[in-house]
PDB file of all heavy atoms in Angstrom:
ATOM      1  N   VAL Q  14     -26.825  58.870 -45.064  1.00  0.00           N
ATOM      2  CA  VAL Q  14     -28.164  59.394 -45.177  1.00  0.00           C
ATOM      3  C   VAL Q  14     -28.126  60.886 -44.925  1.00  0.00           C
ATOM      4  O   VAL Q  14     -27.419  61.344 -44.038  1.00  0.00           O
ATOM      5  CB  VAL Q  14     -29.091  58.729 -44.139  1.00  0.00           C
ATOM      6  CG1 VAL Q  14     -30.491  59.323 -44.218  1.00  0.00           C
ATOM      7  CG2 VAL Q  14     -29.129  57.235 -44.352  1.00  0.00           C
ATOM      8  N   VAL Q  15     -28.850  61.639 -45.711  1.00  0.00           N
ATOM      9  CA  VAL Q  15     -28.877  63.086 -45.553  1.00  0.00           C
ATOM     10  C   VAL Q  15     -30.091  63.479 -44.730  1.00  0.00           C
ATOM     11  O   VAL Q  15     -31.199  63.072 -45.044  1.00  0.00           O
ATOM     12  CB  VAL Q  15     -28.928  63.795 -46.915  1.00  0.00           C
ATOM     13  CG1 VAL Q  15     -28.939  65.295 -46.723  1.00  0.00           C
ATOM     14  CG2 VAL Q  15     -27.737  63.365 -47.751  1.00  0.00           C
ATOM     15  N   VAL Q  16     -29.902  64.242 -43.684  1.00  0.00           N
ATOM     16  CA  VAL Q  16     -30.989  64.686 -42.829  1.00  0.00           C
ATOM     17  C   VAL Q  16     -31.021  66.199 -42.798  1.00  0.00           C
ATOM     18  O   VAL Q  16     -29.990  66.854 -42.720  1.00  0.00           O
ATOM     19  CB  VAL Q  16     -30.822  64.147 -41.390  1.00  0.00           C
ATOM     20  CG1 VAL Q  16     -31.897  64.695 -40.499  1.00  0.00           C
ATOM     21  CG2 VAL Q  16     -30.848  62.635 -41.401  1.00  0.00           C
ATOM     22  N   LYS Q  17     -32.224  66.754 -42.875  1.00  0.00           N
ATOM     23  CA  LYS Q  17     -32.383  68.201 -42.866  1.00  0.00           C
ATOM     24  C   LYS Q  17     -32.332  68.711 -41.438  1.00  0.00           C
ATOM     25  O   LYS Q  17     -33.320  68.694 -40.716  1.00  0.00           O
ATOM     26  CB  LYS Q  17     -33.707  68.582 -43.517  1.00  0.00           C
ATOM     27  CG  LYS Q  17     -33.788  68.175 -44.986  1.00  0.00           C
ATOM     28  CD  LYS Q  17     -35.150  68.485 -45.576  1.00  0.00           C
ATOM     29  CE  LYS Q  17     -35.241  68.079 -47.026  1.00  0.00           C
ATOM     30  NZ  LYS Q  17     -36.569  68.317 -47.586  1.00  0.00           N
ATOM     31  N   VAL Q  18     -31.155  69.133 -41.019  1.00  0.00           N
ATOM     32  CA  VAL Q  18     -30.981  69.682 -39.684  1.00  0.00           C
ATOM     33  C   VAL Q  18     -30.110  70.914 -39.782  1.00  0.00           C
ATOM     34  O   VAL Q  18     -29.409  71.128 -40.761  1.00  0.00           O
ATOM     35  CB  VAL Q  18     -30.316  68.649 -38.737  1.00  0.00           C
ATOM     36  CG1 VAL Q  18     -31.218  67.468 -38.508  1.00  0.00           C
ATOM     37  CG2 VAL Q  18     -28.990  68.190 -39.297  1.00  0.00           C
ATOM     38  N   LYS Q  19     -30.122  71.709 -38.740  1.00  0.00           N
ATOM     39  CA  LYS Q  19     -29.272  72.888 -38.729  1.00  0.00           C
ATOM     40  C   LYS Q  19     -27.828  72.460 -38.496  1.00  0.00           C
ATOM     41  O   LYS Q  19     -27.559  71.553 -37.720  1.00  0.00           O
ATOM     42  CB  LYS Q  19     -29.715  73.836 -37.603  1.00  0.00           C
ATOM     43  CG  LYS Q  19     -31.084  74.435 -37.828  1.00  0.00           C
ATOM     44  CD  LYS Q  19     -31.448  75.368 -36.697  1.00  0.00           C
ATOM     45  CE  LYS Q  19     -32.827  75.995 -36.923  1.00  0.00           C
ATOM     46  NZ  LYS Q  19     -33.197  76.899 -35.817  1.00  0.00           N
ATOM     47  N   PRO Q  20     -26.880  73.096 -39.190  1.00  0.00           N
ATOM     48  CA  PRO Q  20     -25.485  72.730 -38.985  1.00  0.00           C
ATOM     49  C   PRO Q  20     -25.096  72.882 -37.534  1.00  0.00           C
ATOM     50  O   PRO Q  20     -25.493  73.826 -36.848  1.00  0.00           O
ATOM     51  CB  PRO Q  20     -24.728  73.720 -39.880  1.00  0.00           C
ATOM     52  CG  PRO Q  20     -25.726  74.142 -40.922  1.00  0.00           C
ATOM     53  CD  PRO Q  20     -27.048  74.149 -40.201  1.00  0.00           C
ATOM     54  N   LYS Q  21     -24.290  71.918 -37.042  1.00  0.00           N
ATOM     55  CA  LYS Q  21     -23.834  72.016 -35.669  1.00  0.00           C
ATOM     56  C   LYS Q  21     -22.435  71.433 -35.594  1.00  0.00           C
ATOM     57  O   LYS Q  21     -22.044  70.577 -36.377  1.00  0.00           O
ATOM     58  CB  LYS Q  21     -24.768  71.274 -34.719  1.00  0.00           C
ATOM     59  CG  LYS Q  21     -24.937  69.806 -35.036  1.00  0.00           C
ATOM     60  CD  LYS Q  21     -25.886  69.164 -34.043  1.00  0.00           C
ATOM     61  CE  LYS Q  21     -26.101  67.690 -34.362  1.00  0.00           C
ATOM     62  NZ  LYS Q  21     -27.009  67.042 -33.429  1.00  0.00           N
ATOM     63  N   GLN Q  22     -21.653  71.906 -34.653  1.00  0.00           N
ATOM     64  CA  GLN Q  22     -20.312  71.431 -34.469  1.00  0.00           C
ATOM     65  C   GLN Q  22     -20.132  70.998 -33.033  1.00  0.00           C
ATOM     66  O   GLN Q  22     -20.691  71.594 -32.108  1.00  0.00           O
ATOM     67  CB  GLN Q  22     -19.285  72.516 -34.824  1.00  0.00           C
ATOM     68  CG  GLN Q  22     -19.290  72.906 -36.307  1.00  0.00           C
ATOM     69  CD  GLN Q  22     -18.215  73.903 -36.627  1.00  0.00           C
ATOM     70  OE1 GLN Q  22     -17.693  74.556 -35.732  1.00  0.00           O
ATOM     71  NE2 GLN Q  22     -17.867  74.021 -37.888  1.00  0.00           N
ATOM     72  N   ASP Q  23     -19.335  69.919 -32.854  1.00  0.00           N
ATOM     73  CA  ASP Q  23     -19.059  69.510 -31.485  1.00  0.00           C
ATOM     74  C   ASP Q  23     -17.789  70.192 -31.005  1.00  0.00           C
ATOM     75  O   ASP Q  23     -17.214  71.038 -31.679  1.00  0.00           O
ATOM     76  CB  ASP Q  23     -18.950  67.989 -31.389  1.00  0.00           C
ATOM     77  CG  ASP Q  23     -17.770  67.421 -32.163  1.00  0.00           C
ATOM     78  OD1 ASP Q  23     -16.974  68.233 -32.691  1.00  0.00           O
ATOM     79  OD2 ASP Q  23     -17.638  66.195 -32.216  1.00  0.00           O
ATOM     80  N   GLU Q  24     -17.317  69.773 -29.841  1.00  0.00           N
ATOM     81  CA  GLU Q  24     -16.167  70.436 -29.278  1.00  0.00           C
ATOM     82  C   GLU Q  24     -14.896  70.184 -30.087  1.00  0.00           C
ATOM     83  O   GLU Q  24     -13.902  70.883 -29.931  1.00  0.00           O
ATOM     84  CB  GLU Q  24     -15.950  69.977 -27.829  1.00  0.00           C
ATOM     85  CG  GLU Q  24     -15.728  68.470 -27.684  1.00  0.00           C
ATOM     86  CD  GLU Q  24     -17.027  67.718 -27.548  1.00  0.00           C
ATOM     87  OE1 GLU Q  24     -18.083  68.316 -27.849  1.00  0.00           O
ATOM     88  OE2 GLU Q  24     -16.998  66.557 -27.124  1.00  0.00           O
ATOM     89  N   LEU Q  25     -14.916  69.169 -30.963  1.00  0.00           N
ATOM     90  CA  LEU Q  25     -13.754  68.894 -31.809  1.00  0.00           C
ATOM     91  C   LEU Q  25     -13.821  69.635 -33.128  1.00  0.00           C
ATOM     92  O   LEU Q  25     -12.925  69.516 -33.955  1.00  0.00           O
ATOM     93  CB  LEU Q  25     -13.666  67.376 -32.076  1.00  0.00           C
ATOM     94  CG  LEU Q  25     -13.481  66.495 -30.837  1.00  0.00           C
ATOM     95  CD1 LEU Q  25     -13.449  65.025 -31.246  1.00  0.00           C
ATOM     96  CD2 LEU Q  25     -12.196  66.869 -30.101  1.00  0.00           C
ATOM     97  N   GLY Q  26     -14.888  70.417 -33.336  1.00  0.00           N
ATOM     98  CA  GLY Q  26     -15.021  71.174 -34.560  1.00  0.00           C
ATOM     99  C   GLY Q  26     -15.569  70.386 -35.735  1.00  0.00           C
ATOM    100  O   GLY Q  26     -15.453  70.809 -36.874  1.00  0.00           O
ATOM    101  N   ILE Q  27     -16.152  69.207 -35.432  1.00  0.00           N
ATOM    102  CA  ILE Q  27     -16.694  68.372 -36.513  1.00  0.00           C
ATOM    103  C   ILE Q  27     -18.093  68.880 -36.869  1.00  0.00           C
ATOM    104  O   ILE Q  27     -18.944  69.020 -36.005  1.00  0.00           O
ATOM    105  CB  ILE Q  27     -16.776  66.901 -36.082  1.00  0.00           C
ATOM    106  CG1 ILE Q  27     -15.375  66.378 -35.758  1.00  0.00           C
ATOM    107  CG2 ILE Q  27     -17.433  66.042 -37.152  1.00  0.00           C
ATOM    108  CD1 ILE Q  27     -15.352  64.961 -35.220  1.00  0.00           C
ATOM    109  N   ASN Q  28     -18.311  69.166 -38.116  1.00  0.00           N
ATOM    110  CA  ASN Q  28     -19.614  69.602 -38.592  1.00  0.00           C
ATOM    111  C   ASN Q  28     -20.404  68.380 -39.020  1.00  0.00           C
ATOM    112  O   ASN Q  28     -20.202  67.815 -40.094  1.00  0.00           O
ATOM    113  CB  ASN Q  28     -19.457  70.569 -39.780  1.00  0.00           C
ATOM    114  CG  ASN Q  28     -20.779  71.219 -40.138  1.00  0.00           C
ATOM    115  OD1 ASN Q  28     -21.806  70.567 -40.201  1.00  0.00           O
ATOM    116  ND2 ASN Q  28     -20.729  72.525 -40.384  1.00  0.00           N
ATOM    117  N   TRP Q  29     -21.322  67.933 -38.162  1.00  0.00           N
ATOM    118  CA  TRP Q  29     -22.072  66.703 -38.428  1.00  0.00           C
ATOM    119  C   TRP Q  29     -22.996  66.863 -39.625  1.00  0.00           C
ATOM    120  O   TRP Q  29     -23.278  65.905 -40.340  1.00  0.00           O
ATOM    121  CB  TRP Q  29     -22.870  66.305 -37.192  1.00  0.00           C
ATOM    122  CG  TRP Q  29     -21.999  65.928 -36.045  1.00  0.00           C
ATOM    123  CD1 TRP Q  29     -21.720  66.660 -34.941  1.00  0.00           C
ATOM    124  CD2 TRP Q  29     -21.235  64.723 -35.918  1.00  0.00           C
ATOM    125  NE1 TRP Q  29     -20.846  65.992 -34.121  1.00  0.00           N
ATOM    126  CE2 TRP Q  29     -20.541  64.799 -34.703  1.00  0.00           C
ATOM    127  CE3 TRP Q  29     -21.075  63.590 -36.729  1.00  0.00           C
ATOM    128  CZ2 TRP Q  29     -19.695  63.793 -34.260  1.00  0.00           C
ATOM    129  CZ3 TRP Q  29     -20.241  62.578 -36.290  1.00  0.00           C
ATOM    130  CH2 TRP Q  29     -19.564  62.682 -35.067  1.00  0.00           C
ATOM    131  N   SER Q  30     -23.479  68.078 -39.857  1.00  0.00           N
ATOM    132  CA  SER Q  30     -24.373  68.287 -41.002  1.00  0.00           C
ATOM    133  C   SER Q  30     -23.650  68.018 -42.304  1.00  0.00           C
ATOM    134  O   SER Q  30     -24.212  67.435 -43.230  1.00  0.00           O
ATOM    135  CB  SER Q  30     -24.927  69.716 -40.981  1.00  0.00           C
ATOM    136  OG  SER Q  30     -25.781  69.942 -42.066  1.00  0.00           O
ATOM    137  N   GLN Q  31     -22.388  68.460 -42.401  1.00  0.00           N
ATOM    138  CA  GLN Q  31     -21.629  68.209 -43.626  1.00  0.00           C
ATOM    139  C   GLN Q  31     -21.401  66.730 -43.830  1.00  0.00           C
ATOM    140  O   GLN Q  31     -21.454  66.221 -44.947  1.00  0.00           O
ATOM    141  CB  GLN Q  31     -20.290  68.948 -43.555  1.00  0.00           C
ATOM    142  CG  GLN Q  31     -20.407  70.462 -43.649  1.00  0.00           C
ATOM    143  CD  GLN Q  31     -19.046  71.136 -43.579  1.00  0.00           C
ATOM    144  OE1 GLN Q  31     -18.026  70.474 -43.354  1.00  0.00           O
ATOM    145  NE2 GLN Q  31     -19.022  72.446 -43.744  1.00  0.00           N
ATOM    146  N   ILE Q  32     -21.163  66.036 -42.735  1.00  0.00           N
ATOM    147  CA  ILE Q  32     -20.949  64.587 -42.838  1.00  0.00           C
ATOM    148  C   ILE Q  32     -22.218  63.903 -43.316  1.00  0.00           C
ATOM    149  O   ILE Q  32     -22.188  63.009 -44.163  1.00  0.00           O
ATOM    150  CB  ILE Q  32     -20.521  64.028 -41.477  1.00  0.00           C
ATOM    151  CG1 ILE Q  32     -19.119  64.553 -41.129  1.00  0.00           C
ATOM    152  CG2 ILE Q  32     -20.537  62.500 -41.478  1.00  0.00           C
ATOM    153  CD1 ILE Q  32     -18.643  64.187 -39.755  1.00  0.00           C
ATOM    154  N   LYS Q  33     -23.368  64.336 -42.789  1.00  0.00           N
ATOM    155  CA  LYS Q  33     -24.641  63.710 -43.176  1.00  0.00           C
ATOM    156  C   LYS Q  33     -24.972  63.976 -44.638  1.00  0.00           C
ATOM    157  O   LYS Q  33     -25.740  63.216 -45.233  1.00  0.00           O
ATOM    158  CB  LYS Q  33     -25.760  64.257 -42.290  1.00  0.00           C
ATOM    159  CG  LYS Q  33     -25.655  63.843 -40.834  1.00  0.00           C
ATOM    160  CD  LYS Q  33     -26.678  64.594 -39.998  1.00  0.00           C
ATOM    161  CE  LYS Q  33     -26.464  64.328 -38.521  1.00  0.00           C
ATOM    162  NZ  LYS Q  33     -27.348  65.142 -37.691  1.00  0.00           N
ATOM    163  N   ASN Q  34     -24.418  65.029 -45.186  1.00  0.00           N
ATOM    164  CA  ASN Q  34     -24.767  65.377 -46.564  1.00  0.00           C
ATOM    165  C   ASN Q  34     -23.985  64.590 -47.607  1.00  0.00           C
ATOM    166  O   ASN Q  34     -24.065  64.885 -48.790  1.00  0.00           O
ATOM    167  CB  ASN Q  34     -24.536  66.877 -46.803  1.00  0.00           C
ATOM    168  CG  ASN Q  34     -25.606  67.704 -46.152  1.00  0.00           C
ATOM    169  OD1 ASN Q  34     -26.717  67.227 -45.935  1.00  0.00           O
ATOM    170  ND2 ASN Q  34     -25.284  68.938 -45.803  1.00  0.00           N
TER     171      ASN Q  34
END
Side-chain angles (χ1 to χ4, degrees):
V14 178
V15 181
V16 176
K17 298 176 180 177
V18 294
K19 294 181 179 179
K21 58 180 179 180
Q22 294 184 342
D23 65 6
E24 59 273 15
L25 299 178
I27 299 175
N28 190 316
W29 294 104
S30 180
Q31 290 180 354
I32 292 174
K33 293 171 187 174
N34 286 334

